[in-house]
Amino acid sequence: MAEEILQASKPQGGVAGLSGHKVGSSPILMREVQGVETIRYTTGIGELDLALGGGLVKGSVILIGGEPGIGKSTIMLQLASVISHQYKRKLLYVSGEESAEQIKMRAVRLDADTENLHLLTTSSFEDVLAALEASYFEFVVIDSIQTVVSSELSSSGGTVGQVRHITYKLVELAKSRGITVFIVGQVTKDGNIAGPKVLEHLVDTVLYFEGDYTRGIRLLRTVKNRFGSTNEVGLFEMTEKGLVEVGGDLFLQQDTSSASGQAICAVMEGTRSFLVEIQALIAPTFLQFPRRNTNGFDHNRLQMLAAVLEKRGGFNLSSADIYLNIAGGLRITEPAADIAVCAALISSFKDKVIDRRKIFIGEVGLSGEVRPVSNMVARVNEAARLGMNTFYSPTDAADKRIKTFRIKNVRDLILFLDK
Ligand code: TYD
Ligand code: MG
């Protein structure tokens, strides 16, 4: 719950002010409405274009949310560089949290083109409006919305009232003048109250940055998009020269030394498929309640799969600790990884290495039956592309490059892995 102070004089904007509509509009015939062509800029950063649904739409408002340190300012500066270099458009970068020197240092580090980049370090929204009034900027970046304050409201910066008011104004500007606006929103780990959530309905596109800090992997997720499909993900890696695009084999361990307890699965993120390595370790325990430890996988699901292996497969797991880890910091939420988890568990239990060109896809039910999952074609394509050659699944791979072993039950899996 956050307190919101009501203003005596209502700030302008509100619903009527959205997208530049005038108060006192009357109905019109839909068929007489002139369609306008949307102008798209490809950003040259493929993964970002993908997340944006095929490039940047002129006059749209895009919200980029994410935890501090995830790379929001970095990607904004990289994008600014493309706009400056490729399109030679004037861009205003408003920073309320960093000094001009800090931003300059980052730009140097990123080797960014800053020819047409104008910097405004302020926390006053009125300064931003004045700058936009004084000269035409086709692109504006607000980094971040929580650090810019409008004096029209008495509440302090970062409150629901402030961020909403400023976003209304920015949307208005974007629609009336064809300015493309990026709004950076901080999300704190405990779910900031005045965070980007309260802005999602106001803007055209919402992107969220998430990832694994230790390995530098970053996922840019499309949560909302009026100009393209949601459910897209852009994949990046944070390097010393900024964010670079990466492909789908990212989540596989790079060293190919094999150990028992490892199995590979193809999971879906939006419309894309990734190969992910599942690592299991089964160790004898002296605890009354053995450990079931998971990282990146649902704890209850692991318990269920362990119970299925115990009951249907005859494995004695009740006197063993189980550790399960999804390599690369990805979180798996779909049941398609079930038999890969089972395979990793069996492999660790028997201390038998699974060849790294084998791939496991299928959902496991309580009776030990293995069920097909969606998006088989995308998964198999990605697997074949990355050199996988054997497929364990209830359905056929239907791909010449891959040999299929039909798995109808976890018992089949146990038999196959014994061979
Ligand atoms: P930043 O974009 O400042 O994050 P945000 O704006 O989301 O808070 O970047 C955060 C981290 O990225 C910072 O800890 C340093 C690191 N980084 C790199 O590893 N390489 C780089 O080239 C840059 C610019 C930053
Ligand atoms: Mg930042």
Side-chain angles (χ1 to χ4, degrees):
M1 305 288 275
E3 181 187 25
E4 192 172 348
I5 298 155
L6 292 176
Q7 298 295 308
S9 66
K10 274 204 115 176
Q12 275 135 35
V15 178
L18 262 186
S19 42
H21 299 329
K22 304 227 167 32
V23 180
S25 306
S26 47
I28 47 169
L29 257 178
M30 180 120 154
R31 67 178 148 82
E32 283 168 10
V33 177
Q34 298 282 320
V36 281
E37 232 180 283
T38 50
I39 301 168
R40 276 187 192 266
Y41 296 106
T42 51
T43 64
I45 307 169
E47 297 287 318
L48 179 63
D49 285 337
L50 181 85
L52 288 169
L56 204 53
V57 174
K58 183 177 156 74
S60 67
V61 181
I62 298 133
L63 176 69
I64 295 207
E67 287 174 9
I70 197 87
K72 301 180 295 298
S73 303
T74 305
I75 198 157
M76 282 299 106
L77 208 54
Q78 286 182 256
L79 178 76
S81 170
V82 174
I83 290 165
S84 164
H85 182 75
Q86 203 170 315
Y87 294 103
K88 310 267 182 275
R89 297 294 150 95
K90 265 174 80 177
L91 184 139
L92 181 67
Y93 195 107
V94 181
S95 181
E97 44 192 58
E98 286 171 304
S99 67
E101 292 74 29
Q102 280 174 310
I103 299 168
K104 173 79 187 178
M105 265 164 59
R106 182 181 293 129
V108 169
R109 186 171 169 180
L110 295 172
D111 209 1
D113 181 303
T114 50
E115 199 54 39
N116 300 299
L117 194 90
H118 298 245
L119 211 52
L120 177 61
T121 49
T122 183
S123 55
S124 155
F125 186 56
E126 281 66 36
D127 285 357
V128 180
L129 291 178
L132 293 178
E133 208 54 64
S135 128
Y136 182 69
F137 291 97
E138 211 180 310
F139 294 88
V140 178
V141 176
I142 308 287
D143 187 4
S144 66
I145 187 80
Q146 278 96 347
T147 53
V148 182
V149 189
S150 167
S151 59
E152 268 185 54
L153 306 189
S154 57
S155 49
S156 53
T159 53
V160 179
Q162 281 281 358
V163 296
R164 226 187 248 158
H165 170 75
I166 295 171
T167 306
Y168 270 134
K169 291 277 177 185
L170 288 170
V171 171
E172 226 171 50
L173 270 172
K175 302 301 165 189
S176 60
R177 294 204 225 156
I179 302 174
T180 308
V181 182
F182 284 93
I183 299 174
V184 171
Q186 301 282 8
V187 185
T188 53
K189 286 205 163 72
D190 53 349
N192 191 351
I193 309 158
K197 279 276 169 226
V198 299
L199 307 177
E200 282 182 359
H201 66 288
L202 297 178
V203 300
D204 298 308
T205 306
V206 179
L207 305 175
Y208 275 101
F209 236 138
E210 52 190 66
D212 167 30
Y213 290 81
T214 51
R215 276 200 60 210
I217 294 170
R218 300 286 188 273
L219 277 85
L220 189 61
R221 239 180 244 287
T222 316
V223 176
K224 164 181 172 178
N225 196 356
R226 287 189 182 142
F227 305 107
S229 73
T230 51
N231 232 348
E232 295 289 0
V233 272
L235 259 189
F236 296 93
E237 193 166 2
M238 181 65 94
T239 68
E240 60 279 10
K241 294 217 98 218
L243 291 156
V244 292
E245 306 168 51
V246 281
D249 55 343
L250 187 69
F251 298 103
L252 292 182
Q253 295 281 57
Q254 294 309 322
D255 67 283
T256 48
S257 63
S258 305
S260 66
Q262 301 179 348
I264 295 170
C265 176
V267 297
M268 299 300 295
E269 278 287 350
T271 53
R272 295 174 83 178
S273 174
F274 302 120
L275 295 197
V276 177
E277 183 174 295
I278 291 163
Q279 304 172 333
L281 181 71
I282 296 184
T285 187
F286 305 100
L287 298 174
Q288 197 178 357
F289 299 104
R291 277 200 189 89
R292 300 289 182 256
N293 222 323
T294 59
N295 189 8
F297 193 77
D298 182 44
H299 189 256
N300 292 330
R301 192 101 198 148
L302 171 66
Q303 278 180 323
M304 185 211 109
L305 294 172
V308 169
L309 282 181
E310 176 127 21
K311 178 92 180 162
R312 314 286 170 201
F315 288 96
N316 180 13
L317 296 174
S318 52
S319 56
D321 288 336
I322 301 179
Y323 300 88
L324 191 77
N325 179 43
I326 310 302
L330 201 72
R331 261 206 77 76
I332 298 186
T333 49
E334 54 165 4
D338 284 357
I339 66 163
V341 171
C342 289
L345 290 172
I346 296 166
S347 162
S348 177
F349 190 88
K350 298 193 169 178
D351 201 16
K352 268 184 97 159
V353 177
I354 298 175
D355 187 271
R356 291 182 64 82
R357 279 167 304 170
K358 289 181 174 166
I359 180 155
F360 301 84
I361 301 170
E363 176 182 352
V364 173
L366 283 182
S367 64
E369 84 278 13
V370 180
R371 291 190 224 115
V373 294
S374 59
N375 296 95
M376 242 6 184
V377 178
R379 294 178 208 259
V380 169
N381 272 342
E382 183 65 8
R385 193 179 72 80
L386 294 171
M388 301 287 140
N389 64 12
T390 320
F391 185 50
Y392 293 85
S393 155
T395 48
D396 208 301
D399 188 304
K400 278 192 220 65
R401 294 168 288 180
I402 291 189
K403 187 171 158 199
T404 305
F405 286 104
R406 289 284 187 93
I407 307 284
K408 290 283 181 205
N409 193 287
V410 287
R411 277 188 289 267
D412 305 337
L413 183 69
I414 296 163
L415 288 178
F416 276 123
L417 291 181
D418 264 340
K419 277 182 199 156

